Amino acid sequence: MHTYRRAFLAIIAMAALIASTAGVGTATAQSQGSNLELYQATVNAEQHQQLLEGGYDIASVEETADGYVVQVVLRPNEANRLNRDGFDFEVVRNADGLTAQQAAEQQKRRGFKVWRPWDGPAGLEQQIRSVPEEYQDIAELHTLGQSHEGRDILAIRVTSDVANVPLNERPAVLYQGTAHAREWIATEVTRRTMLHFLEGATNDPEVQDVLATTELWFIPVVNPDGYQYTFDHERLWRKNLRDNDGNGVIDSNDGVDLNRNFSEHWNYDEEGSSSQFTSQTYRGPAPMSEPETVANAAV
């Protein structure tokens, strides 16, 4: 498939860290969990640089008169080690005094609202597969590849008279979400953007003009293994499910940060990505080593 112009759409929000619902299905590899939690500290410029170079999973940064207020996803042993080195990390709690993990468990107990897992008869995979049935004239399903655990990586191609327009004939734009497993909001933004065009095709002249001259590609979930894992095992999991050490267990040694696995500037330095298995920004053993990255680049 031709390589198109890319318009990447991914929104990171605190809501994505704490929103949760019941998941179905299980990971192929056994899981041991990693007790990830969201921590916050005010750090100076040198400490901020230390976090960047250490490959830590920085969720947000705000520069203030007192320094940098950083929120970082850490395991307890990582937080303890950093605090011994002079940091002052504390667990982030919401207005009800709940940590991100506790808030996620509370929402899970209260039941499904907006979010849905990938697997199962009511899961997101089946919802995506049903789109061309409802919008036959403008929507077409494509399987771009399979994940480490064999889940299909699905894309929807949207354009007018889709069945009769060859691939590559019209300029294209790609919208993709959830390379980082826990960022559920990115899935919803991508899915709802797709629905905007699908539903507007019958009554919105601007949408009709776009679809008559352009094809739009939507990949709501680039990382279906990791996404499902956030429902089943670890809400704050970020990476895919590559078993880095080959021991058949998914734990803190495992996974690749898919956004750091592309060929462009791969292994450029240790700031912003890491060569260490345990890092949340581990770039993988080679550029484009991950099936999810290869599938995403195929569009």
Side-chain angles (χ1 to χ4, degrees), residues 42-64:
T42 299
V43 303
N44 58 36
E46 182 180 350
Q47 290 172 318
H48 182 220
Q49 188 66 24
Q50 184 177 338
L51 293 173
L52 290 172
E53 293 177 355
Y56 289 100
D57 186 359
I58 301 174
S60 69
V61 181
E62 180 183 359
E63 189 171 1
T64 70

Side-chain angles (χ1 to χ4, degrees), residues 6 25 49 51 67 94 99 151 171 214 225 236 242 254 263:
R6 289 169 171 77
Q49 188 66 24
L51 293 173
N94 65 13
T99 69
R151 292 180 175 89
T214 310
D225 290 351
L236 298 185
R242 170 186 277 273
D254 297 319
S263 298

Side-chain angles (χ1 to χ4, degrees), residues 221-240:
V221 179
V222 174
N223 181 9
D225 290 351
Y227 179 75
Q228 184 63 40
Y229 194 78
T230 64
F231 287 87
D232 292 339
H233 300 291
E234 174 60 78
R235 177 63 188 92
L236 298 185
W237 189 263
R238 172 185 172 98
K239 300 183 283 184
N240 72 354

